[in-house]
Amino acid sequence: MSVVTADVIVIGLGAMGGAAFRSLASRGLRVVGIEQHSVPHALGSSHGETRIIRKAYFEHPDYVPLLRRSYELWGDLETAIGQQLYHETGLLLIGPPDGEAIPGARLAAERHGIAIEPLSAADLRRRFPWITPREGDECLFEPEAGFLEVERCVEAQVRDGERRQGTAACGERVVEWSAEGRVARVVTDRGRYEAGALVIAGGPWASRLLHEMHVPLEVVRKPVVWFRSRPGAVAPTCGFFVEQEGRAFYGVPSLERGMTKLAEHTGGNVVEDADRVDRLLRSEDVGPLQTFAETTLRDIDSTPVRSAVCLYTLTPDRHFVIDQHPGHANVAVACGFSGHGFKFAPVVGEALADLAVRGESALPIGFLQNRSWT
């Protein structure tokens, strides 16, 4: 079997790997991307029609500079392909004043000068009559937030990388990889590859590829369900994130008029094998979403219209890993995006390309590197 050579190999062509593939190809490098499924596909983390993107980042204010760069890069991709991928609808954050979302968003907004609007109960009734907060909840509106068309984003990154002379090898499963000195090798069930550097962005399959790093990743099954607003009702017009009694729910307007996608950000069942995931909608999946819809959203028919199952790959601290492999200076890795990573895909790809080619990045990713898991 002949060996395919390149400057850089990318394992995984989902959100992060696809972005790295495009970033490397845009630098004029010979890059080969290896994907075990198709581009896009509905078996990992990057599907389900839409993903929220926002700047007042309650998870940690250090993400904000990366978000600003990500917004720029999503815009660059839209220009490159001549299509709209981002929809600026704004985002409602609702929750207790001592919860995670409201104080965290305020902190990020204050530290980085992001526009957010506090809304009174009267404001909410007037501007967003389709949602009902709980007594004592606070509400913020971030006007410069919205959603991305997730499958189209994944495909656009890879296709634009191919346009820039990258090679995407789909339907190939990685059997093993190795690195020695300045040479990285990958063996798949269909071929052999060799390059000067390697990027590993395995999504829910990361533990299988990165067992030497001992990152304790946990994969969690996440059902998402679409509900229709009743005839004549005002359907949700923007994304929303709501904290209630230790749980968090989010929703996004569907591309189909009058439909809303709902999911629970918290909870979920641990998946032992990302190749064996229950993808049927169970009563225990839909029950909490129906209760949320019936108590918080007005005029929503709580009969599911359609559903999907996505996967979160969680780190212990719920922050990403974007780093060099500790044993191989020419191997860059990204994993553990913990259910809030998609919006960062193009900047993660840029950082991975930097790490693979130069061994460092000027992007502010230090807080996502060199973490101890022992």
Side-chain angles (χ1 to χ4, degrees), residues 198-315:
L198 173 65
V199 171
I200 301 176
W205 297 271
S207 290
R208 186 180 300 167
L209 295 164
L210 300 172
H211 55 88
E212 293 179 350
M213 289 184 68
H214 304 294
V215 181
L217 299 173
E218 185 177 72
V219 178
V220 175
R221 176 181 176 274
K222 288 289 182 177
V224 296
V225 181
W226 283 259
F227 298 95
R228 197 182 302 278
S229 294
R230 294 189 176 90
V234 177
T237 53
C238 68
F240 51 91
F241 185 96
V242 181
E243 284 187 283
Q244 290 182 347
E245 298 177 347
R247 305 177 78 166
F249 297 87
Y250 68 90
V252 191
S254 173
L255 299 175
E256 181 180 344
R257 183 180 294 274
M259 194 96 76
T260 302
K261 182 178 83 172
L262 289 181
E264 182 175 355
H265 183 61
T266 45
N269 296 319
V270 175
V271 173
E272 298 298 334
D273 184 348
D275 289 325
R276 298 179 181 274
V277 178
D278 181 1
R279 301 205 176 261
L280 296 176
L281 185 66
R282 306 296 183 183
S283 58
E284 58 267 31
D285 298 330
V286 72
L289 302 179
Q290 290 174 316
T291 299
F292 173 83
E294 291 165 356
T295 59
T296 308
L297 302 176
R298 296 179 183 174
D299 296 321
I300 290 281
D301 184 339
S302 59
T303 303
V305 176
R306 56 189 170 96
S307 65
V309 170
C310 294
L311 299 173
Y312 281 9
T313 306
L314 306 173
T315 62

Side-chain angles (χ1 to χ4, degrees), residues 141-201:
F141 180 69
E142 182 183 337
E144 294 181 344
F147 67 84
L148 297 156
E149 297 185 40
V150 57
E151 286 94 347
R152 291 183 64 218
C153 287
V154 171
E155 184 170 22
Q157 291 184 140
V158 174
R159 300 304 169 226
D160 196 55
E162 290 180 309
R163 184 180 68 81
R164 298 167 189 266
Q165 306 307 307
T167 300
C170 296
E172 294 196 31
R173 189 180 183 88
V174 172
V175 176
E176 63 179 9
W177 69 269
S178 61
E180 184 177 353
R182 296 185 177 182
V183 179
R185 297 181 177 88
V186 176
V187 179
T188 75
D189 56 3
R190 294 177 57 186
R192 304 175 72 90
Y193 301 87
E194 189 173 290
L198 173 65
V199 171
I200 301 176

Side-chain angles (χ1 to χ4, degrees), residues 41-194:
H41 64 83
L43 300 174
S45 304
S46 300
H47 60 282
E49 187 184 52
T50 54
R51 286 292 184 279
I52 290 171
I53 182 168
R54 52 197 165 87
K55 294 179 182 177
Y57 218 63
F58 62 77
E59 288 85 347
H60 200 289
D62 285 356
Y63 283 102
V64 175
L66 295 173
L67 279 164
R68 285 186 162 141
R69 178 60 177 157
S70 196
Y71 268 77
E72 292 174 359
L73 292 171
W74 285 124
D76 289 347
L77 180 60
E78 287 181 316
T79 299
I81 67 171
Q83 297 176 32
Q84 182 181 10
L85 300 170
Y86 166 62
H87 301 261
E88 188 170 280
T89 61
L91 176 73
L92 282 171
L93 285 177
I94 298 175
D98 59 350
E100 179 186 11
I102 296 297
R106 282 202 175 103
L107 176 63
E110 291 168 4
R111 188 169 296 180
H112 294 283
I114 299 164
I116 56 172
E117 304 172 23
L119 299 179
S120 66
D123 293 331
L124 200 63
R125 285 193 298 271
R126 177 174 54 83
R127 294 174 56 182
F128 306 100
W130 42 265
I131 195 164
T132 304
R134 293 190 173 196
E135 188 71 28
D137 280 350
E138 293 190 10
C139 180
L140 298 174
F141 180 69
E142 182 183 337
E144 294 181 344
F147 67 84
L148 297 156
E149 297 185 40
V150 57
E151 286 94 347
R152 291 183 64 218
C153 287
V154 171
E155 184 170 22
Q157 291 184 140
V158 174
R159 300 304 169 226
D160 196 55
E162 290 180 309
R163 184 180 68 81
R164 298 167 189 266
Q165 306 307 307
T167 300
C170 296
E172 294 196 31
R173 189 180 183 88
V174 172
V175 176
E176 63 179 9
W177 69 269
S178 61
E180 184 177 353
R182 296 185 177 182
V183 179
R185 297 181 177 88
V186 176
V187 179
T188 75
D189 56 3
R190 294 177 57 186
R192 304 175 72 90
Y193 301 87
E194 189 173 290

